[in-house]
């Protein structure tokens, strides 16, 4: 059972295009995080969203947490080749007994020059 | 580099051998997590440990896999009698407190190949 479902799973676009990655669940999360992972490395945290409806911006990246805290989105404006990588959403379920961060299956983004 | 250190980075084992993966958390972090990642997949939670205690091992296979985080020294993920299906990248992460909303700091992973 996939608690967090990401879509699309693969995305190949041209430099300068915009894109949105979605992270959905039927469960409520106390917080959601987005990580980026490059080949041969571990994931690195981009942002944490905690409040339903929250929007956070990180340069050309915009993150949103759904009002019901069941979903999140990552929007990239004017994508660049340096944005290429695996984007992972992850969350702490609201009934979490402590410490168990659940990951989506990831979105593999390729930005071609 | 004060980040999470994992070794070995790459490990090759034949079926039936044992694999030991080590993880030194960020200095001062007392919470360690192990995740497994298969190609083109996200990270699957395996186990959460504090010093000398296993807090949550709900993601660990019931057989052949064990983990420890002793009072002194690194955390160890041990896989006995490895099979081809154990081939994956194993990531360790650490945090300073129970991370209800906080960040996990990941190592660069140990890539296990079972021949």
């Amino acid at each position: 059972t996939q608690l967090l479902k990401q879509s699309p799973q693969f995305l190949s676009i041209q430099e300068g295009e915009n894109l949105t990655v979605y992270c959905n669940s039927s469960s409520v999360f106390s917080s959601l995080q987005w990580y980026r992972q490059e080949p041969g490395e571990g994931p690195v945290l981009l942002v944490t969203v905690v409040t339903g409806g929250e929007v956070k911006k990180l340069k050309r990246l915009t993150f949103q947490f759904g009002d019901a805290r069941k979903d999140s989105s990552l929007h990239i404006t004017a994508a660049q080749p340096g944005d290429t990588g695996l984007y992972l959403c992850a969350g702490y379920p609201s009934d979490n007994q402590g410490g168990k961060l659940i990951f989506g299956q990831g979105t593999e983004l390729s930005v071609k020059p | 580099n004060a980040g999470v250190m994992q070794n070995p980075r790459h490990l090759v084992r034949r079926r039936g051998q044992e694999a030991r993966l080590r993880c030194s958390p960020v200095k001062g972090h007392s919470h360690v997590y192990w995740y497994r990642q298969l190609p083109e997949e996200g990270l699957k939670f395996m186990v959460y440990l504090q010093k000398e205690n296993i807090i949550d091992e709900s993601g660990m296979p019931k057989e052949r896999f064990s983990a420890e985080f002793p009072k002194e020294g690194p955390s160890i993920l041990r896989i006995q009698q490895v099979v081809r299906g154990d081939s994956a990248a194993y990531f360790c992460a650490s945090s300073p407190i129970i991370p209800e909303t906080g960040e996990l700091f990941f190592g660069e992973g140990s890539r296990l190949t079972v021949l």
Side-chain angles (χ1 to χ4, degrees):
Chain A
T1 303
Q2 190 71 42
L3 197 58
L4 278 171
K5 290 202 71 172
Q6 284 186 239
S7 60
Q9 196 168 349
F10 300 96
L11 191 54
S12 181
I13 61 172
Q14 293 295 130
E15 182 176 2
E17 292 184 8
N18 302 332
L19 67 113
T20 302
V21 177
Y22 299 93
C23 177
N24 295 293
S25 177
S26 58
S27 303
V28 176
F29 286 82
S30 58
S31 67
L32 272 179
Q33 301 180 340
W34 285 90
Y35 288 79
R36 181 170 166 226
Q37 183 180 18
E38 299 200 45
E41 297 184 9
V44 176
L45 181 68
L46 295 173
V47 77
T48 300
V49 285
V50 178
T51 307
E54 182 176 3
V55 176
K56 281 191 175 178
K57 289 183 185 287
L58 188 66
K59 296 184 181 178
R60 294 176 294 100
L61 277 60
T62 302
F63 304 86
Q64 186 160 7
F65 200 11
D67 291 339
R69 291 187 291 131
K70 292 183 178 181
D71 55 86
S72 181
S73 64
L74 157 61
H75 182 79
I76 301 179
T77 303
Q80 299 176 1
D83 296 327
T84 293
L86 179 67
Y87 290 82
L88 296 156
C89 70
Y92 293 99
S94 59
D95 61 352
N96 196 18
Q97 296 305 306
K100 188 173 173 179
L101 184 63
I102 307 297
F103 280 84
Q105 78 273 35
T107 295
E108 188 74 54
L109 172 64
S110 173
V111 182
K112 298 185 181 348
Chain B
N1 185 350
V4 175
M5 302 299 292
Q6 289 189 248
N7 69 83
R9 292 291 311 276
H10 299 275
L11 182 64
V12 179
R13 285 286 179 266
R14 296 192 180 280
R15 281 180 296 171
Q17 291 184 320
E18 178 180 287
R20 280 188 181 230
L21 309 177
R22 287 175 290 279
C23 168
S24 296
V26 174
K27 190 176 180 181
H29 286 191
S30 58
H31 300 250
V32 164
Y33 312 80
W34 285 93
Y35 285 81
R36 176 163 63 178
Q37 186 175 37
L38 294 171
E40 299 181 352
E41 289 191 14
L43 282 77
K44 295 281 194 275
F45 170 83
M46 298 182 75
V47 63
Y48 163 34
L49 310 106
Q50 292 180 30
K51 283 284 186 183
E52 300 185 277
N53 288 305
I54 295 175
I55 306 302
D56 183 342
E57 56 181 348
S58 58
M60 287 275 274
K62 293 286 186 284
E63 298 176 350
R64 302 187 297 107
F65 285 71
S66 62
E68 62 176 9
F69 189 16
K71 188 176 179 182
E72 302 290 338
S75 176
I76 306 285
L77 179 67
R78 182 182 177 207
I79 311 172
Q80 295 178 288
Q81 299 174 343
V82 296
V83 301
R84 288 220 174 101
D86 296 333
S87 295
Y90 292 84
F91 287 92
C92 171
S94 72
S95 67
I97 56 173
I98 296 175
E100 300 271 333
T101 59
E103 175 182 4
L104 294 190
F105 295 80
F106 282 85
E108 294 185 317
S110 291
R111 280 148 187 85
L112 171 66
T113 301
V114 180
L115 301 177

mmCIF file of all heavy atoms in Angstrom, chain B residues 11 13 36-39 65 79 82-90 110-115:
data_model
loop_
_atom_site.group_PDB
_atom_site.id
_atom_site.type_symbol
_atom_site.label_atom_id
_atom_site.label_comp_id
_atom_site.label_asym_id
_atom_site.label_seq_id
_atom_site.Cartn_x
_atom_site.Cartn_y
_atom_site.Cartn_z
ATOM 1 N N LEU B 11 29.231 -2.469 -1.642
ATOM 2 C CA LEU B 11 29.524 -3.778 -1.066
ATOM 3 C C LEU B 11 28.989 -4.844 -2.009
ATOM 4 O O LEU B 11 27.827 -4.788 -2.425
ATOM 5 C CB LEU B 11 28.860 -3.903 0.311
ATOM 6 C CG LEU B 11 29.089 -5.196 1.089
ATOM 7 C CD1 LEU B 11 30.569 -5.344 1.426
ATOM 8 C CD2 LEU B 11 28.263 -5.206 2.371
ATOM 9 N N ARG B 13 28.409 -8.940 -2.383
ATOM 10 C CA ARG B 13 28.349 -10.194 -1.649
ATOM 11 C C ARG B 13 27.768 -11.279 -2.548
ATOM 12 O O ARG B 13 26.972 -11.002 -3.449
ATOM 13 C CB ARG B 13 27.467 -10.064 -0.393
ATOM 14 C CG ARG B 13 28.124 -9.292 0.736
ATOM 15 C CD ARG B 13 29.206 -10.123 1.402
ATOM 16 N NE ARG B 13 29.896 -9.424 2.476
ATOM 17 C CZ ARG B 13 31.029 -8.758 2.314
ATOM 18 N NH1 ARG B 13 31.575 -8.643 1.114
ATOM 19 N NH2 ARG B 13 31.609 -8.176 3.341
ATOM 20 N N ARG B 36 15.616 1.646 2.805
ATOM 21 C CA ARG B 36 16.092 0.893 1.646
ATOM 22 C C ARG B 36 15.497 1.516 0.403
ATOM 23 O O ARG B 36 14.311 1.888 0.394
ATOM 24 C CB ARG B 36 15.682 -0.576 1.762
ATOM 25 C CG ARG B 36 16.069 -1.408 0.546
ATOM 26 C CD ARG B 36 16.046 -2.892 0.826
ATOM 27 N NE ARG B 36 14.738 -3.404 1.159
ATOM 28 C CZ ARG B 36 14.493 -4.702 1.397
ATOM 29 N NH1 ARG B 36 15.476 -5.576 1.324
ATOM 30 N NH2 ARG B 36 13.290 -5.100 1.696
ATOM 31 N N GLN B 37 16.296 1.624 -0.645
ATOM 32 C CA GLN B 37 15.821 2.195 -1.894
ATOM 33 C C GLN B 37 16.172 1.264 -3.046
ATOM 34 O O GLN B 37 17.341 0.956 -3.276
ATOM 35 C CB GLN B 37 16.439 3.575 -2.136
ATOM 36 C CG GLN B 37 15.883 4.289 -3.359
ATOM 37 C CD GLN B 37 16.438 5.698 -3.505
ATOM 38 O OE1 GLN B 37 17.606 5.942 -3.220
ATOM 39 N NE2 GLN B 37 15.604 6.633 -3.912
ATOM 40 N N LEU B 38 15.140 0.837 -3.754
ATOM 41 C CA LEU B 38 15.334 0.054 -4.966
ATOM 42 C C LEU B 38 15.410 1.008 -6.154
ATOM 43 O O LEU B 38 14.924 2.153 -6.055
ATOM 44 C CB LEU B 38 14.189 -0.949 -5.130
ATOM 45 C CG LEU B 38 14.139 -2.034 -4.049
ATOM 46 C CD1 LEU B 38 12.867 -2.835 -4.147
ATOM 47 C CD2 LEU B 38 15.356 -2.937 -4.155
ATOM 48 N N PRO B 39 15.984 0.590 -7.277
ATOM 49 C CA PRO B 39 16.114 1.479 -8.436
ATOM 50 C C PRO B 39 14.782 2.108 -8.824
ATOM 51 O O PRO B 39 13.756 1.429 -8.870
ATOM 52 C CB PRO B 39 16.644 0.551 -9.534
ATOM 53 C CG PRO B 39 17.375 -0.513 -8.798
ATOM 54 C CD PRO B 39 16.607 -0.715 -7.524
ATOM 55 N N PHE B 65 17.372 -9.950 8.784
ATOM 56 C CA PHE B 65 17.745 -8.545 8.967
ATOM 57 C C PHE B 65 17.740 -8.206 10.461
ATOM 58 O O PHE B 65 16.828 -8.599 11.192
ATOM 59 C CB PHE B 65 16.765 -7.609 8.257
ATOM 60 C CG PHE B 65 16.931 -7.554 6.761
ATOM 61 C CD1 PHE B 65 16.566 -8.629 5.972
ATOM 62 C CD2 PHE B 65 17.448 -6.415 6.157
ATOM 63 C CE1 PHE B 65 16.720 -8.572 4.591
ATOM 64 C CE2 PHE B 65 17.604 -6.361 4.783
ATOM 65 C CZ PHE B 65 17.236 -7.442 3.993
ATOM 66 N N ILE B 79 22.646 -7.981 7.474
ATOM 67 C CA ILE B 79 21.810 -8.848 6.641
ATOM 68 C C ILE B 79 22.509 -10.190 6.527
ATOM 69 O O ILE B 79 23.614 -10.293 5.982
ATOM 70 C CB ILE B 79 21.587 -8.256 5.231
ATOM 71 C CG1 ILE B 79 21.156 -6.789 5.307
ATOM 72 C CG2 ILE B 79 20.539 -9.077 4.480
ATOM 73 C CD1 ILE B 79 21.098 -6.088 3.951
ATOM 74 N N VAL B 82 22.469 -13.329 2.524
ATOM 75 C CA VAL B 82 21.897 -12.417 1.542
ATOM 76 C C VAL B 82 21.393 -13.169 0.316
ATOM 77 O O VAL B 82 21.936 -14.208 -0.082
ATOM 78 C CB VAL B 82 22.900 -11.327 1.109
ATOM 79 C CG1 VAL B 82 23.259 -10.434 2.291
ATOM 80 C CG2 VAL B 82 24.149 -11.930 0.469
ATOM 81 N N VAL B 83 20.325 -12.606 -0.285
ATOM 82 C CA VAL B 83 19.753 -13.113 -1.535
ATOM 83 C C VAL B 83 19.772 -11.971 -2.548
ATOM 84 O O VAL B 83 19.956 -10.802 -2.181
ATOM 85 C CB VAL B 83 18.325 -13.640 -1.334
ATOM 86 C CG1 VAL B 83 18.315 -14.762 -0.303
ATOM 87 C CG2 VAL B 83 17.384 -12.533 -0.886
ATOM 88 N N ARG B 84 19.545 -12.308 -3.810
ATOM 89 C CA ARG B 84 19.638 -11.300 -4.870
ATOM 90 C C ARG B 84 18.663 -10.149 -4.620
ATOM 91 O O ARG B 84 18.944 -8.999 -4.927
ATOM 92 C CB ARG B 84 19.387 -11.922 -6.240
ATOM 93 C CG ARG B 84 20.519 -12.807 -6.719
ATOM 94 C CD ARG B 84 20.787 -12.623 -8.197
ATOM 95 N NE ARG B 84 21.975 -13.380 -8.585
ATOM 96 C CZ ARG B 84 21.939 -14.552 -9.192
ATOM 97 N NH1 ARG B 84 20.773 -15.103 -9.503
ATOM 98 N NH2 ARG B 84 23.054 -15.180 -9.513
ATOM 99 N N GLY B 85 17.520 -10.457 -4.051
ATOM 100 C CA GLY B 85 16.523 -9.427 -3.790
ATOM 101 C C GLY B 85 16.934 -8.408 -2.746
ATOM 102 O O GLY B 85 16.271 -7.376 -2.588
ATOM 103 N N ASP B 86 18.031 -8.685 -2.040
ATOM 104 C CA ASP B 86 18.533 -7.720 -1.057
ATOM 105 C C ASP B 86 19.352 -6.622 -1.725
ATOM 106 O O ASP B 86 19.706 -5.626 -1.081
ATOM 107 C CB ASP B 86 19.415 -8.423 -0.019
ATOM 108 C CG ASP B 86 18.650 -9.436 0.811
ATOM 109 O OD1 ASP B 86 17.420 -9.269 0.968
ATOM 110 O OD2 ASP B 86 19.278 -10.399 1.292
ATOM 111 N N SER B 87 19.664 -6.774 -3.001
ATOM 112 C CA SER B 87 20.437 -5.760 -3.728
ATOM 113 C C SER B 87 19.647 -4.456 -3.747
ATOM 114 O O SER B 87 18.513 -4.406 -4.223
ATOM 115 C CB SER B 87 20.717 -6.216 -5.166
ATOM 116 O OG SER B 87 21.559 -7.351 -5.186
ATOM 117 N N ALA B 88 20.257 -3.417 -3.214
ATOM 118 C CA ALA B 88 19.571 -2.123 -3.093
ATOM 119 C C ALA B 88 20.559 -1.118 -2.522
ATOM 120 O O ALA B 88 21.676 -1.469 -2.135
ATOM 121 C CB ALA B 88 18.363 -2.241 -2.163
ATOM 122 N N ALA B 89 20.108 0.139 -2.471
ATOM 123 C CA ALA B 89 20.861 1.159 -1.744
ATOM 124 C C ALA B 89 20.240 1.284 -0.359
ATOM 125 O O ALA B 89 19.009 1.389 -0.233
ATOM 126 C CB ALA B 89 20.802 2.492 -2.474
ATOM 127 N N TYR B 90 21.071 1.241 0.655
ATOM 128 C CA TYR B 90 20.596 1.349 2.038
ATOM 129 C C TYR B 90 21.070 2.693 2.588
ATOM 130 O O TYR B 90 22.269 2.975 2.619
ATOM 131 C CB TYR B 90 21.128 0.189 2.881
ATOM 132 C CG TYR B 90 20.523 -1.135 2.467
ATOM 133 C CD1 TYR B 90 21.053 -1.867 1.396
ATOM 134 C CD2 TYR B 90 19.406 -1.649 3.126
ATOM 135 C CE1 TYR B 90 20.489 -3.067 0.995
ATOM 136 C CE2 TYR B 90 18.834 -2.850 2.724
ATOM 137 C CZ TYR B 90 19.377 -3.549 1.665
ATOM 138 O OH TYR B 90 18.810 -4.731 1.255
ATOM 139 N N SER B 110 24.757 3.112 1.224
ATOM 140 C CA SER B 110 25.611 1.944 0.959
ATOM 141 C C SER B 110 24.903 1.110 -0.090
ATOM 142 O O SER B 110 23.746 0.724 0.100
ATOM 143 C CB SER B 110 25.805 1.107 2.225
ATOM 144 O OG SER B 110 26.581 1.774 3.182
ATOM 145 N N ARG B 111 25.589 0.864 -1.184
ATOM 146 C CA ARG B 111 24.974 0.118 -2.283
ATOM 147 C C ARG B 111 25.421 -1.330 -2.239
ATOM 148 O O ARG B 111 26.602 -1.617 -2.441
ATOM 149 C CB ARG B 111 25.310 0.775 -3.622
ATOM 150 C CG ARG B 111 24.413 1.973 -3.863
ATOM 151 C CD ARG B 111 25.066 3.090 -4.650
ATOM 152 N NE ARG B 111 24.177 4.251 -4.672
ATOM 153 C CZ ARG B 111 24.133 5.166 -3.701
ATOM 154 N NH1 ARG B 111 24.946 5.063 -2.669
ATOM 155 N NH2 ARG B 111 23.307 6.180 -3.774
ATOM 156 N N LEU B 112 24.458 -2.187 -1.965
ATOM 157 C CA LEU B 112 24.727 -3.615 -1.834
ATOM 158 C C LEU B 112 24.353 -4.317 -3.134
ATOM 159 O O LEU B 112 23.238 -4.150 -3.645
ATOM 160 C CB LEU B 112 23.915 -4.209 -0.671
ATOM 161 C CG LEU B 112 23.938 -5.737 -0.543
ATOM 162 C CD1 LEU B 112 25.346 -6.226 -0.195
ATOM 163 C CD2 LEU B 112 22.938 -6.192 0.509
ATOM 164 N N THR B 113 25.284 -5.082 -3.646
ATOM 165 C CA THR B 113 25.034 -5.915 -4.825
ATOM 166 C C THR B 113 25.250 -7.360 -4.429
ATOM 167 O O THR B 113 26.320 -7.717 -3.904
ATOM 168 C CB THR B 113 25.984 -5.564 -5.980
ATOM 169 O OG1 THR B 113 25.811 -4.188 -6.329
ATOM 170 C CG2 THR B 113 25.681 -6.429 -7.206
ATOM 171 N N VAL B 114 24.237 -8.179 -4.648
ATOM 172 C CA VAL B 114 24.332 -9.602 -4.338
ATOM 173 C C VAL B 114 24.435 -10.383 -5.643
ATOM 174 O O VAL B 114 23.551 -10.291 -6.509
ATOM 175 C CB VAL B 114 23.120 -10.081 -3.521
ATOM 176 C CG1 VAL B 114 23.249 -11.569 -3.218
ATOM 177 C CG2 VAL B 114 22.988 -9.286 -2.232
ATOM 178 N N LEU B 115 25.536 -11.109 -5.780
ATOM 179 C CA LEU B 115 25.767 -11.860 -7.020
ATOM 180 C C LEU B 115 25.116 -13.237 -6.967
ATOM 181 O O LEU B 115 24.955 -13.800 -5.870
ATOM 182 C CB LEU B 115 27.269 -12.003 -7.268
ATOM 183 C CG LEU B 115 28.037 -10.681 -7.397
ATOM 184 C CD1 LEU B 115 29.513 -10.961 -7.573
ATOM 185 C CD2 LEU B 115 27.488 -9.862 -8.559
#
